[in-house]
Amino acid sequence: MRTRHLALAISVVVGLGPGLVALAPPAVAAPATVKVIVMPVTVSGTAASGFSVKKQDPGFPVDCRYKDPSIAAVSPDIETCSPSAAYAPACWKAAAPGKVLCMRDASSHKVFLIKREGRFADTAIAKPRDRAPLDFVLTDGTKCQIRIGGAWGPVPHHPNLYGAYSCDRHDAAWLYAKGSHSDAHAGIDESGASWRIRTGYKHIVWRHIATAYFVATAP
């Protein structure tokens, strides 16, 4: 018992004198990222059960003719429609003529009915390295949503970082770009069970992702 008490005493003494070494607590591994697939729209182009539809007229129609798959889609025929001002990162062809149903926040239960210009292209799923969540929640509760265009200024001391997600804390999440967007998965490091991404502005920090949201088409 005497030896055990001595060991405990040494472990909590930090920098009190020469020869005393603090025993650092073991690192706590971040929990594995939970991948959630949300299915808000059916194959027939109507809102799935449990999802509400909000009509929206941004003052201009969206264009979905160019086979631009949503980065978050794990089903075909889900597009990112332009212009970026409409913020239409994941859209389905709606049953209503000349309309699309778009999801902006995969953690919500809401889709937006927006007027469409022209045809809706048949679109394949994005290549695996190009796929990334529509939005995600960090382990500290910060929520980040995919960036669709817009002008963002350079990051101090990190000129090769490109804005990937807008976050409600830590400013933004970034991918590394050399001339073109070179990071896979919009800058998310998926090499471990707990995914990570760079966040911050003046001080860039890798943070872990607790929950990542993707989208698919409901039966």
Side-chain angles (χ1 to χ4, degrees):
M1 288 295 284
R2 183 180 181 83
T3 303
R4 177 175 175 271
H5 289 162
L6 179 61
L8 288 174
I10 293 175
S11 70
V12 297
V13 176
V14 182
L16 293 183
L20 292 178
V21 179
L23 302 182
V28 178
T33 299
V34 176
K35 278 75 76 178
V36 177
I37 298 176
V38 180
M39 296 185 287
V41 179
T42 69
V43 291
S44 60
T46 59
S49 177
F51 290 86
S52 62
V53 176
K54 183 176 180 179
K55 293 183 180 180
Q56 187 181 44
D57 181 7
F60 47 82
V62 294
D63 192 340
C64 312
R65 294 175 290 180
Y66 298 103
K67 297 189 176 184
D68 185 10
S70 172
I71 197 171
V74 294
S75 295
D77 300 326
I78 305 174
E79 281 208 42
T80 296
C81 299
S82 59
S84 60
Y87 196 67
C91 298
W92 292 253
K93 183 179 180 181
K99 301 290 180 65
V100 288
L101 285 169
C102 300
M103 172 157 268
R104 293 174 175 145
D105 180 354
S107 64
S108 74
H109 288 81
K110 185 185 299 181
V111 289
F112 294 85
L113 183 67
I114 305 173
K115 186 177 180 180
R116 187 185 81 239
E117 177 181 56
R119 63 186 292 270
F120 189 97
D122 296 329
T123 306
I125 302 171
K127 295 178 181 179
R129 71 164 277 121
D130 295 330
R131 285 183 222 146
L134 188 67
D135 42 79
F136 57 78
V137 179
L138 299 176
T139 52
D140 67 359
T142 298
K143 185 171 182 177
C144 303
Q145 292 184 281
I146 193 73
R147 173 188 179 184
I148 302 295
W152 289 18
V155 184
H157 312 299
H158 297 277
N160 290 320
L161 291 185
Y162 178 85
Y165 291 85
S166 176
C167 303
D168 59 15
R169 292 174 60 196
H170 314 307
D171 291 300
W174 309 89
L175 62 83
Y176 189 84
K178 270 191 174 179
S180 63
H181 303 171
S182 58
D183 260 356
H185 314 300
I188 296 174
D189 173 16
E190 297 184 2
S191 61
S194 179
W195 295 355
R196 307 181 306 153
I197 193 167
R198 303 172 187 89
T199 64
Y201 183 59
K202 291 184 178 180
H203 183 52
I204 303 299
V205 177
W206 282 95
R207 299 184 193 275
H208 289 269
I209 296 173
T211 308
Y213 293 90
F214 296 83
V215 294
T217 303

